[in-house]
DNA sequence: TTGAAAGCGCTAACAA
DNA sequence: TTGTTAGCGCTTTCAA
């Protein structure tokens, strides 16, 4: 720890102090390079005394990537998404990459943003955003850039994907509610469409119809607690009277619906209407909600994302892959006990 | 889909196509550079047809920074923090910087991580982490690297700070509860110390004593819903019986306490015990909690952080600054109505 | 196993 | 206003 406020030491300085060439310094900091252990020691020593560290910019300029991974996410302040980003970020770092975070709410500037990401020679990209424009993914494809999409449609021909299968999810939700005794199902659908949320909702409705159960659609302006709550409050009372099971494609919406039902409308859950959410966010387990839901295992999902990305960064000739993450039904207090002997 | 990217066009290619020098290309992409509009047009044209974009790595190597800002955060999956990171990230991007996100739970590797951040020639750093080691900040100081700390102690001599004043917060909390009729105050304190949470708690206790109101300390293992709830449940019943006001230095803890009180212990809030939180996270406003709290304005706070950072990135000779963010009392349903005429 | 030399793609100082 | 010329700090052939 010497030098205060000086010019940062370069490999040249280290080489000089260690009495070797700059190539030797480079090798000392390149895992698996051909270098004599004792030379490496000398270099490491010198580097330590000088406080030297490899300049990632220069290295990235020379090699074909900078070790940065673009992480594109929307609705970051949402419980599920923040957990996803946390796991993804931690995992990336653990693997020796550095996440560059791009948060976007509107697709307006996203092209420009991703563009600027590309200018950093990123090693790969992860899209958790609600709607990465297809053209963008294809540009990544054109550049041969590894991409993993999380819960996104396979809009493009490029990019590995990790998804919670919408059809499976919708069907599972319908089955669960029906099995628990619901005979008329509602589904709270946000007006702003989104791959996973809209997808699950539609599949839920299809599944219910397939099983011969009448359905109603309730609308919210968008996902999110407030709008879900407002949506349920604004729903025709006749519709509410008709249903005895409600599926919300997001726990956040389910919680909003729950508060609307119980606090605003005085409708008893689960006695009068059973409610089922999706995701299993932390809040679902909070005592005041105790929400039955279908769990999306974010930790497992993130591991898969990382595996796919790392594999492809190491070998870009792999075929395009799609991984389905398993779903688990978590029954809590917003649904009734299952009848002991089927019905 | 095995495609290896084509070689990316460089400023050289653009220069050739536009019939100018590489410097001209550089100037065309440097805001405010000295270049004839028509030359700039030609370059822009050529760049567009070639799909050229400036290589930020090369640019960052040449200039003194890469346009990357390190964003160090812990507990990212927590409502307050995720909102902070969202605003910070969006703001940074709006200002033309790119956030590199480092998430850390334990201070173990943080030095190494920040180190690797520095190797990207970051333009500045924002620490929202619970405990950035002092040595780290000082290293940033040694390098003259702009740093802003959010809600962190002024451990070091370097780094601008944005804080919600602990003393003011604690005092405000005590005053509020007392004014609302509480006569014996409890404070739920996490065993793991943290600058803001522990600080606020201590100041709250001090303030209460100063005002001649008896106090009790309740313990939780750590912040977070579950442990707060468990902590309250494990509290000696006599202690609970003695207090009629409870301050929790975090809404998340307050919500955990609330669920413990109401659901686990059957204690009525606010009739028997009034509860006051801190932060005003989204969940505090949810109907099932309707938590009275002291608001920390995350949006305003983030703007301040960005302002400080940008100012310093532009002029690093500024004196060290500390900005206090205003606090607002938000009275909801976990406290009683204020008596109409004094007490 | 090592060093010399040639770039990676860009910007900045200097001349024209 | 433009082009020329040096690097920025690193890795990587290629010889030795």
């Amino acid at each position: 720890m010497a030098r205060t406020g000086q010019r940062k030491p370069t490999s040249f300085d280290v080489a000089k102090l260690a009495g070797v060439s700059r190539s030797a310094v480079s090798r000392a900091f390149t895992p698996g390079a051909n270098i004599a252990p004792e030379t490496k020691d000398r270099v490491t020593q010198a580097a330590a005394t000088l406080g030297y560290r490899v300049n990632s910019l220069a290295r990235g300029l020379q090699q074909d990537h900078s070790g940065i991974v673009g992480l594109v996410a929307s609705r970051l302040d949402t419980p599920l998404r923040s957990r996803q980003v946390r796991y993804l970020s931690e995992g990336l770092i653990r693997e020796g990459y550095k996440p560059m975070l791009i948060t976007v709410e509107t697709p307006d500037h996203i092209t420009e943003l991703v563009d600027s990401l590309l200018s950093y020679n990123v090693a790969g990209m992860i899209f958790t955003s609600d709607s990465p424009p297809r053209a963008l993914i294809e540009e990544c494809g054109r550049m041969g850039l590894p991409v993993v999409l999380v819960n996104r449609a396979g809009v493009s021909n490029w990019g590995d994907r990790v998804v919670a299968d919408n059809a499976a999810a919708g069907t599972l939700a319908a089955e669960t509610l029906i099995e628990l005794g619901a005979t008329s199902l509602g589904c709270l659908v946000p007006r702003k469409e989104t791959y996973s949320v809209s997808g699950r909702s539609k599949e839920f409705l299809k599944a219910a119809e397939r099983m011969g159960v009448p359905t109603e659609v309730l609308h919210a302006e968008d996902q999110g607690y407030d709008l879900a709550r407002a949506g349920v409050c604004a729903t025709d009372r006749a519709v509410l009277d008709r249903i005895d099971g409600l599926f919300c494609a997001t726990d956040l919406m389910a919680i909003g619906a729950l508060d609307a039902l119980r606090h605003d409308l005085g409708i008893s859950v689960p006695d009068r209407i059973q409610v089922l959410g999706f995701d299993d966010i932390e809040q679902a387990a909070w005592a005041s909600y105790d929400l039955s839901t279908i769990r999306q295992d974010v930790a497992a999902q993130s591991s898969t994302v990382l595996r796919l990305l790392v594999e492809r960064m190491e070998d870009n000739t792999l075929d395009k892959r799609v991984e389905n993450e398993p779903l688990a039904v978590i029954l809590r207090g917003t649904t009734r006990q299952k009848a002991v002997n089927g019905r």
Side-chain angles (χ1 to χ4, degrees), chain A:
Chain A
M1 299 258 287
R3 32 177 327 282
T4 48
Q6 298 245 351
R7 175 183 127 275
K8 274 189 265 182
T10 74
S11 70
F12 187 82
D13 303 316
V14 177
K16 203 156 132 191
L17 180 59
V20 297
S21 72
R22 295 163 70 212
S23 331
V25 178
S26 174
R27 291 188 187 105
F29 285 96
T30 304
N34 253 348
I35 185 172
E38 103 186 357
T39 313
K40 183 166 181 173
D41 275 357
R42 279 233 306 290
V43 172
T44 314
Q45 286 284 345
T49 66
L50 253 37
Y52 167 80
R53 88 190 113 231
V54 177
N55 182 326
S56 300
L57 257 27
R59 172 177 276 183
L61 190 58
Q62 181 69 12
Q63 306 187 147
D64 64 331
H65 75 261
S66 59
I68 298 174
V69 169
L71 183 49
V72 182
S74 61
R75 302 181 203 261
L76 180 59
D77 51 353
T78 251
L80 185 76
R81 191 53 51 80
S82 63
R83 221 159 89 227
Q84 278 180 164
V85 170
R86 176 191 157 170
Y87 286 130
L88 256 14
S89 162
E90 287 178 358
L92 247 15
I93 290 172
R94 209 178 308 120
E95 300 279 349
Y97 296 93
K98 298 286 168 291
M100 194 171 259
L101 178 67
I102 301 292
T103 47
V104 272
E105 295 318 314
T106 55
D108 291 356
H109 295 149
I110 189 175
T111 307
E112 175 187 340
L113 287 172
V114 172
D115 225 59
S116 71
L117 224 45
L118 297 183
S119 80
Y120 283 97
N121 268 13
V122 292
M125 297 264 245
I126 298 175
F127 286 93
T128 301
S129 160
D130 277 341
S131 49
R134 159 193 191 125
L136 224 55
I137 313 293
E138 273 164 6
E139 171 148 16
C140 294
R142 222 170 296 125
M143 304 182 51
L145 187 65
V147 166
V148 180
L149 305 257
V150 186
N151 276 340
R152 311 263 13 93
V155 283
S156 154
N157 205 28
W158 183 260
D160 298 314
R161 295 165 51 209
V162 176
V163 294
D165 183 73
N166 280 344
T171 307
L172 185 56
E175 278 174 1
T176 302
L177 281 171
I178 292 172
E179 210 169 298
L180 291 168
T183 59
S184 176
L185 295 173
C187 184
L188 182 59
V189 176
R191 287 220 149 81
K192 279 197 195 157
E193 304 232 328
T194 249
Y195 172 72
S196 33
V197 174
S198 310
R200 280 197 295 265
S201 305
K202 278 175 198 148
E203 295 290 344
F204 169 83
L205 292 167
K206 271 200 245 167
E209 277 165 34
R210 220 184 302 126
M211 299 182 218
V213 172
T215 60
E216 296 282 353
V217 174
L218 288 68
H219 285 288
E221 283 314 309
D222 196 359
Q223 318 175 208
Y225 172 91
D226 284 324
L227 296 174
R229 185 173 165 191
V232 170
C233 286
T235 299
D236 193 354
R237 188 61 193 231
V239 170
L240 256 18
D241 284 343
R242 224 173 291 140
I243 63 172
D244 58 3
L246 177 64
F247 175 59
C248 305
T250 266
D251 279 356
L252 215 49
M253 290 199 296
I255 287 175
L258 221 42
D259 275 341
L261 257 19
R262 288 176 172 161
H263 290 265
D264 302 324
L265 306 172
I267 294 178
S268 149
V269 176
D271 303 326
R272 182 56 264 298
I273 298 183
Q274 302 191 65
V275 174
L276 183 66
F278 193 95
D279 284 343
D280 195 27
I281 61 177
E282 188 198 344
Q283 288 75 12
W286 287 3
S288 297
Y289 294 108
D290 198 29
L291 177 69
S292 295
T293 189
I294 294 178
R295 171 179 298 165
Q296 203 176 354
D297 185 338
V298 176
Q301 182 196 62
S302 305
S303 307
T304 306
V305 170
L306 288 170
R307 181 172 52 72
L308 292 185
L309 187 68
V310 170
E311 282 175 7
R312 185 169 295 284
M313 291 192 295
E314 283 166 2
D315 173 10
N316 209 343
T317 67
L318 264 32
D319 280 338
K320 184 177 163 184
R321 294 157 298 171
V322 177
E323 299 258 350
N324 260 288
E325 285 303 306
L327 267 18
V329 177
I330 309 289
L331 261 22
R332 298 202 183 92
T334 59
T335 47
R336 295 199 283 270
Q337 299 290 349
K338 198 189 300 208
V340 181
N341 237 351
R343 67 85 103 197

